[in-house]
Amino acid sequence: MILADKIITLRKKNGWSQEELAEKLNVTRQSVSKWEGAQSVPDLNKILLMSRIFEVSTDFLLKDELEEQNSGVQELEGHQAGASEESIPVRKVSMEEARAFLDIKERTAGMTALAVVLCIVSPMCLIFLAAAQETGKILISENAAAGAGVVVLLLFIASAVAMFIFCDMKAKRYEYLNKMKIETEYGVTGMVNDRKQQYQDTYTRCNIIGTCCCILAVMPLFAALIFTEDDFIMSLAVCVLLLIVSVGVYFFVHAGVHWESMEKLLQEGDYTVDNKRGETAFEPFSGAYWLIVTAAYLAYSFYTNGWGISWAIWPVAGVLFAAVKIIFKAVVRGKRGKE
């Protein structure tokens, strides 16, 4: 297989037109056309750039003879040569599978975001009733206020869990996208890239709104501190804080589900092949971590009857989880580098 044929094959495999490849290489479409027609040969710098873009070696591009059952085919399909490289399963993804996956994620994004919102606002009723009972705003016993608040909290959590399970089951058959290396059929990469470009502005806008909401969420609490010392007003301010945060998180999650579904198919961001290896290794720790957090939350809440404040363990646990995950991946990458 000559260089011209390899450029054509790799370009079509990625779903790019001659214009798109020319733009990535910073040349004209006519240059790409001449390369593919074997009328001219790209210079060494362009060959090096093509090897990075196509994720193949320069040897593969420059070598005229190719043993189809050996390393050439593996490189063409995106494998990196080398006996020391850690193996990872490969799965072929058709255009129909890619479209179906994106459609499912688009339909369930709102429900996933709403489930997260329910988790965030679940303590609001408990906080409100506890404060109202303590300040005499409502004439019920402390146990009744706590009991009613906990019932509402559990109903919200149960509803959220049901939504999470529903969304997870909808996308269950595409779980391999999180763990396996994928090879997409002709046209899939181009289709996903088009969708990603179209969604870019919406994704940016949602992240801006979410960030602003999370930053401004503390304003009601500071306003209450400035103008009053009433415990009931302070509790209401905390409820408003949770509500505003939940709105911001809704935008984050809704947009993030769309964006991540496209990154999974493109194997970009957190879903590169190396990150998938790290994710697979991290899974056992992840499950144990959240089981321990849940046990600590329930033990503390029941032992102290502090349901009004024990909810704070979840945002703290979330931040710590993200930090631990980053450290874990850095350690794994460091070990691979030494190997």
Side-chain angles (χ1 to χ4, degrees):
M1 183 185 293
I2 64 173
L3 177 59
D5 293 333
K6 293 174 185 178
I7 295 174
I8 294 172
T9 302
L10 291 166
R11 175 176 63 78
K12 289 183 176 180
K13 179 178 178 293
N14 284 278
W16 298 332
S17 65
Q18 288 185 339
E19 289 85 352
E20 289 172 325
L21 178 57
E23 184 178 347
K24 294 177 184 295
L25 295 171
N26 196 26
V27 297
T28 63
R29 187 199 64 78
Q30 288 77 11
S31 295
V32 174
S33 179
K34 287 182 179 180
W35 296 342
E36 294 185 352
Q39 298 174 9
S40 66
V41 178
D43 61 34
L44 183 58
N45 287 333
K46 298 305 179 188
I47 290 175
L48 290 171
L49 185 55
M50 276 192 283
S51 74
R52 291 196 294 270
I53 291 173
F54 291 138
E55 296 183 356
V56 298
S57 68
T58 53
D59 286 343
F60 169 72
L61 290 173
L62 295 174
K63 188 176 179 181
D64 287 341
E65 297 298 326
L66 179 64
E67 294 181 11
E68 209 160 279
Q69 300 301 322
N70 207 340
S71 61
V73 168
Q74 293 177 343
E75 285 190 79
L76 182 59
E77 292 178 346
H79 290 285
Q80 299 296 324
S84 63
E85 183 181 285
E86 184 181 350
S87 62
I88 184 170
V90 181
R91 171 70 180 267
K92 194 78 173 179
V93 179
S94 67
M95 178 66 78
E96 291 74 19
E97 284 180 302
R99 290 187 185 277
F101 172 68
L102 292 176
D103 290 343
I104 286 174
K105 284 298 185 179
E106 185 175 352
R107 291 197 302 270
T108 58
M111 184 177 291
T112 303
L114 179 59
V116 177
V117 167
L118 289 177
C119 291
I120 295 172
V121 302
S122 60
M124 283 177 56
C125 184
L126 181 60
I127 295 171
F128 173 80
L129 290 176
Q133 187 277 329
E134 186 176 343
T135 56
K137 302 293 182 182
I138 54 174
L139 301 177
I140 58 174
S141 67
E142 182 179 350
N143 287 339
V150 170
V151 167
V152 173
L153 181 148
L154 294 177
L155 285 174
F156 275 39
I157 295 296
S159 299
V161 170
M163 292 179 185
F164 284 133
I165 293 174
F166 176 81
C167 294
D168 182 64
M169 293 306 295
K170 280 286 185 180
K172 188 71 174 178
R173 61 194 178 107
Y174 301 103
E175 197 174 39
Y176 61 86
L177 293 172
N178 298 327
K179 302 177 181 178
M180 300 175 69
K181 180 178 180 180
I182 62 170
E183 298 291 347
T184 55
E185 289 186 354
Y186 171 70
V188 172
T189 301
M191 179 273 291
V192 178
N193 272 320
D194 286 343
R195 286 202 182 192
K196 193 175 182 182
Q197 288 175 5
Q198 293 172 9
Y199 194 68
Q200 176 74 56
D201 290 342
T202 302
Y203 179 69
T204 302
R205 193 160 49 245
C206 287
N207 278 299
I208 292 172
I209 295 172
T211 302
C212 290
C213 285
C214 291
I215 292 173
L216 297 176
V218 296
M219 288 185 65
L221 191 58
F222 284 125
L225 288 170
I226 293 171
F227 295 108
T228 182
E229 295 182 359
D230 190 307
D231 289 340
F232 181 68
I233 300 298
M234 293 294 296
S235 298
L236 288 180
V238 172
C239 292
V240 174
L241 180 151
L242 292 176
L243 189 61
I244 297 174
V245 167
S246 70
V247 172
V249 171
Y250 181 90
F251 280 98
F252 279 135
V253 175
H254 195 285
V257 170
H258 282 290
W259 193 258
E260 286 187 356
S261 66
M262 292 179 281
E263 289 201 325
K264 287 179 181 180
L265 289 170
L266 295 173
Q267 296 188 117
E268 296 177 349
D270 292 333
Y271 301 98
T272 62
V273 175
D274 284 341
N275 282 339
K276 286 179 182 180
R277 292 193 187 99
E279 196 68 32
T280 301
F282 188 71
E283 274 185 1
F285 176 83
S286 174
Y289 178 88
W290 288 112
L291 286 174
I292 292 171
V293 170
T294 302
Y297 168 71
L298 293 174
Y300 177 82
S301 300
F302 280 113
Y303 181 74
T304 64
N305 199 27
W307 296 93
I309 60 172
S310 61
W311 59 270
I313 193 174
W314 296 109
V316 173
V319 173
L320 288 176
F321 180 78
V324 170
K325 190 172 183 180
I326 291 171
I327 295 171
F328 182 90
K329 288 185 176 180
V331 171
V332 170
R333 281 196 295 269
K335 287 183 178 179
R336 286 205 187 100
K338 292 179 180 178
E339 293 173 358

